[in-house]
Amino acid sequence: MSSRRSAKIVPAAALALLAAACSSTAATGADAGPPRPGGTLTIAVGSNPDCLDPQQAGTNASLNVGRQLVDSLTDQDPNTGEIKPWLADKWESNADSTSFTFHLRSGVTFSDGTPLDANAVKTSFDGVKALGAKSLLGLGYLASYTGATVVDPQTVRIDFSVPSAQFLQASSTMSLGILAPSAYQKTSDQRCQGDGLIGSGPFVFDSFKQNADVVISKRKGYAWGSSLWQHQGAAYLDKVDYKIVPEPGVRTGSLLSGQLDATTEVQPVDEGQFQGNGFSENTRPNPGIVFNLHANTTKGVLTDEKVRQAVSKGINRQEVTDTVLSPNYKPATSILASTTPLYADLSKELAYDPAGATALLDADGWVPGPDGIRVKNGQRLTASVVFASVFNQSQSVLELIQQQLRKIGFDLQLQLHTNTETLQLQQSGNYEFLWYNVTRADPDILRNNFSTKAGNRSKLQPGNPLDAQLDQEASTVDNTVRKPAAEQAQRLIVEQAYAIPVFELTQVVAVGEKAHAVNFEASSRLQLFDTWVS
């Protein structure tokens, strides 16, 4: 999952930071000037990385580290969604998007000195596939992968059993970042801890102290950066020190005191402290599926399309962002976030309309009961939502939605579970509503979660109209064909209320006056190649 994950840890490093924060004054910054090489960026992350290997990792805390260690075949423009050269100078795909051929740059090496050639790419993709369920994101990207062929030392062909237009964007992600053949001489668990984690990226792994910090350092001689980056050659920073600080208040205090240069996962309540006074905020909405109430259409009252549509009309999304979140968060205007390529604006369909909700329920035979909750044939208008605290504000958001829905006579019951329990309930289908978001800068994320041939979280029947649009979207990299299919898929999901979008998750990074160009890549994870410190 993409969103921010809490961790139960004993934060010794965090306590030291808090003590320093209470006794220090804010750091004074130097004149920014032009970018300069050298120095260490000290940045806080909100949880202990579950695994440093980007091919296995799923949380932001992990991927924000892993992105710096590996290069990818391609890169994705965060502004346009366009796929750009990186390790591959050029590429082509066959007519049905089942085969992709990449022509690699020459002269690229891994940090152990071995060449990054076609054989290394094949070894890496085979390695991701062999991970199976351990590759939380790569498993979906390579679901129909049949193998890679070394055409010549600088040319590799990746083949799939079914059309996989999504793969071109997947090739830009750190989850399919290329590791050295020697990395696979270590176990997957060893790579999670950094042992054998050898990439060709602009930084190399130094150390990982559980619940304390992760340190990476500059790769000397690096000279094959993405075509999207602001400079070429080596990274500016000598080191990046990721401090693991679960408590939001400690992260805030440590940055205000100058103990940190930056912090991820700034909470809405703390954002105002970093607006001015030498601080700045870098924000970017996560692309992909927004936070939503995903309906199991085979359970209870949610089998009724009119009920699901009434719930959608009964949610005041603007009030959610205004009351619980901050101006950095947007009300959902589709099941996809507005930063997702081929997003369709369905804000009219998602407008707050309590009168419309009431009319739908009245016509459907649901009448108000003595406590205000509607009933029909002795059945109460109620459903539960399963959620985990992967985003700190989730419970507050759901409590507000619960109040909003009571006004139309709907009883939303909240069921908080651990991440593991939530995953088990999701896999078993034992839920009414699921609360989640998934980050991916490609509309194919819808197929992963809604297609009856994939995740099918709505428990739809095969052959439904949505399946046809999702298959079409996956069939070609030609956006003149992909775009209408992706837009129609979004419309069907919203109009049938298979899932009820609420808000777009936003990454908020607060930056002190010494740090500059703490950037995001297209999936709203950190890209620190151009980052520098005064």
Side-chain angles (χ1 to χ4, degrees):
M1 298 290 282
S2 63
S3 41
R4 294 170 273 198
R5 183 174 293 180
S6 59
K8 295 179 180 177
I9 66 177
V10 181
L15 292 174
L17 280 169
L18 180 59
C22 293
S23 61
S24 301
T25 57
T28 56
D31 179 30
R36 70 176 189 87
T40 298
L41 178 79
T42 304
I43 184 168
V45 295
S47 61
N48 194 58
D50 53 358
C51 176
L52 295 182
D53 180 2
Q55 295 183 349
Q56 300 181 63
T59 63
N60 278 348
S62 301
L63 294 170
N64 281 335
V65 178
R67 174 72 286 178
Q68 323 313 321
L69 303 176
V70 296
D71 297 321
S72 300
L73 291 175
T74 64
D75 203 359
Q76 184 175 20
D77 190 320
N79 299 314
T80 67
E82 189 177 355
I83 305 302
K84 296 285 193 177
W86 192 347
L87 290 177
D89 285 317
K90 57 183 179 177
W91 54 85
E92 54 272 349
S93 60
N94 63 356
D96 64 357
S97 297
T98 58
S99 184
F100 298 79
T101 301
F102 294 90
H103 304 272
L104 304 176
R105 294 169 71 159
S106 59
V108 179
T109 60
F110 295 104
S111 59
D112 65 358
T114 57
L116 194 157
D117 56 13
N119 184 66
V121 173
K122 171 179 169 55
T123 301
S124 195
F125 276 86
D126 289 348
V128 175
K129 185 67 173 179
L131 285 167
K134 285 188 174 183
S135 181
L136 297 176
L137 301 174
L139 179 65
Y141 301 158
L142 298 181
S144 58
Y145 171 81
T146 57
T149 300
V150 176
V151 178
D152 63 48
Q154 296 305 120
T155 310
V156 62
R157 190 182 73 239
I158 312 293
D159 295 313
F160 297 87
S161 59
V162 298
S164 295
Q166 58 82 28
F167 173 69
L168 194 54
Q169 186 275 334
S171 73
S172 74
T173 66
M174 69 287 289
S175 301
L176 296 185
I178 310 301
L179 290 176
S182 60
Y184 300 99
Q185 295 171 11
K186 301 290 185 177
T187 68
S188 58
D189 289 341
Q190 286 174 316
R191 294 199 302 276
C192 273
Q193 302 306 310
D195 184 11
L197 193 56
I198 299 166
S200 67
F203 292 89
V204 296
F205 171 76
D206 274 0
S207 63
F208 179 18
K209 298 174 185 172
Q210 290 285 341
N211 304 321
D213 69 353
V214 181
V215 179
I216 61 176
S217 62
K218 177 192 302 192
R219 167 84 189 274
K220 293 176 181 176
Y222 184 85
W224 41 85
S226 162
S227 58
L228 290 171
W229 294 352
Q230 296 167 19
H231 80 281
Q232 290 300 306
Y236 291 129
L237 296 168
D238 286 338
K239 290 183 180 292
V240 182
D241 187 355
Y242 297 87
K243 298 293 186 185
I244 300 164
V245 188
E247 297 85 352
V250 178
R251 295 196 298 272
T252 296
S254 299
L255 179 55
L256 288 170
S257 72
Q259 302 302 303
L260 295 170
D261 298 312
T263 179
T264 63
E265 303 177 54
V266 178
Q267 298 303 299
V269 69
D270 294 326
E271 288 177 17
Q273 299 184 70
F274 301 116
Q275 292 161 359
N277 300 320
F279 295 98
S280 61
E281 288 177 350
N282 196 0
T283 65
R284 190 171 193 272
N286 284 41
I289 294 177
V290 300
F291 264 109
N292 73 97
L293 294 165
H294 197 135
N296 181 341
T297 63
T298 67
K299 291 283 190 179
V301 300
L302 301 184
T303 60
D304 188 336
E305 171 191 324
K306 297 290 190 293
V307 168
R308 301 194 306 268
Q309 292 169 334
V311 170
S312 184
K313 290 178 182 292
I315 294 176
N316 186 340
R317 295 164 178 84
Q318 189 67 56
E319 184 182 33
V320 169
T321 57
D322 288 350
T323 305
V324 181
L325 302 171
S326 79
N328 282 324
Y329 293 77
K330 294 181 180 180
T333 51
S334 177
I335 186 62
L336 292 178
S338 55
T339 48
T340 316
L342 309 187
Y343 147 88
D345 185 352
L346 302 174
S347 48
K348 290 181 180 177
E349 290 78 0
L350 292 172
Y352 180 46
D353 182 14
T358 297
L360 273 174
L361 294 173
D362 286 344
D364 204 29
W366 293 95
V367 298
D371 61 353
I373 301 303
R374 291 172 181 262
V375 293
K376 177 181 176 181
N377 300 328
Q379 183 180 23
R380 278 171 62 84
L381 188 59
T382 183
S384 62
V385 54
V386 168
F387 73 104
S389 294
V390 292
F391 173 58
N392 283 359
Q393 303 300 316
S394 281
Q395 181 151 347
S396 298
V397 167
L398 290 170
E399 286 171 351
L400 178 55
I401 292 173
Q402 184 182 51
Q403 295 168 25
Q404 293 174 348
L405 293 179
R406 284 194 73 87
K407 295 176 183 175
I408 64 167
F410 188 97
D411 177 30
L412 182 69
Q413 293 288 317
L414 311 188
Q415 293 187 357
L416 175 63
H417 293 275
T418 65
N419 296 325
T420 301
E421 291 167 348
T422 300
L423 182 61
Q424 290 169 345
L425 289 167
Q426 171 200 314
Q427 291 172 338
S428 69
N430 189 20
Y431 57 86
E432 293 174 312
F433 278 126
L434 271 180
W435 174 254
Y436 72 97
N437 83 303
V438 187
T439 296
R440 187 175 181 191
D442 190 272
D444 195 67
I445 193 65
L446 296 177
R447 187 179 58 83
N448 284 31
N449 288 275
F450 289 88
S451 172
T452 61
K453 304 168 189 175
N456 195 17
R457 293 185 177 187
S458 298
K459 306 304 175 189
L460 304 176
Q461 290 300 306
N464 65 78
L466 178 57
D467 266 357
Q469 297 301 325
L470 295 173
D471 287 346
Q472 181 77 356
E473 168 275 318
S475 69
T476 177
V477 295
D478 181 355
N479 276 348
T480 61
V481 177
R482 251 194 133 200
K483 183 178 175 67
E487 290 183 348
Q488 185 59 21
Q490 292 168 73
R491 185 170 294 280
L492 283 168
I493 290 166
V494 167
E495 290 181 346
Q496 299 297 315
Y498 295 141
I500 298 165
V502 179
F503 73 90
E504 298 186 11
L505 178 66
T506 295
Q507 297 302 317
V508 181
V509 174
V511 181
E513 55 192 343
K514 288 172 56 183
H516 312 275
V518 180
N519 295 327
F520 295 113
E521 45 82 85
S523 296
S524 297
R525 274 88 186 215
L526 294 178
Q527 177 54 270
L528 302 179
F529 177 78
D530 291 306
T531 305
W532 58 285
V533 292
S534 300

